[in-house]
Amino acid sequence: MTDRLALAGIAAASFVLAVLQLFFLPLRFDGTLLPRLGDWPFPLTAALAAVTTPALVVLASRHARGTLGAASPLLVWVGTLLLFAVLGPGGDVLLLGDWRTLLLFAGGALPGAIAVGGYLGRRAGVRGDHR
């Protein structure tokens, strides 16, 4: 019961992080939120996704009994981004049509997939599935 509750909390954290990373993706050095430094884009959320998504996968793998449970933070994160890409609130488009969106997807999905692969490798090593 506590493992399922922990996985649900980790999935909820993954959802919240995906929403926050998506909302702050257009961050720029334009003097609004950050100092004015030539209006350069600053996709900090892609770096944040590269750290938090695999960390959540590793945390979920400690409570998971199977691959789906371990991969659930990654699946929730990608699903949330895709959901907001298709069905933005009020018909708004939240994903940018430039390199920052690709960087966000790559920054979260690739390290998260590597963490899932690490879980699968450890699980195969414990079971002795060496082929």
Side-chain angles (χ1 to χ4, degrees), residues 5-34:
L5 193 58
L7 284 174
I10 293 167
S14 182
F15 174 81
V16 169
L17 279 169
V19 170
L20 288 174
Q21 291 163 359
L22 188 58
F23 284 167
F24 285 101
L25 185 62
L27 204 57
R28 304 178 77 82
F29 286 110
D30 60 356
T32 306
L33 228 62
L34 297 175

Side-chain angles (χ1 to χ4, degrees), residues 22 79-89 92-95 101 105:
L22 188 58
T80 302
L81 290 185
L82 292 177
L83 177 72
F84 278 103
V86 175
L87 305 172
D92 293 338
V93 176
L94 294 178
L95 285 178
T101 299
F105 271 102

Side-chain angles (χ1 to χ4, degrees), residues 16-78:
V16 169
L17 279 169
V19 170
L20 288 174
Q21 291 163 359
L22 188 58
F23 284 167
F24 285 101
L25 185 62
L27 204 57
R28 304 178 77 82
F29 286 110
D30 60 356
T32 306
L33 228 62
L34 297 175
R36 185 162 194 77
L37 295 173
D39 204 27
W40 289 89
F42 187 63
L44 174 68
T45 59
L48 184 64
V51 173
T52 58
T53 306
L56 288 173
V57 168
V58 168
L59 188 60
S61 69
R62 294 180 184 160
H63 299 283
R65 293 187 188 147
T67 307
L68 189 60
S72 62
L74 176 61
L75 297 173
V76 167
W77 185 84
V78 170

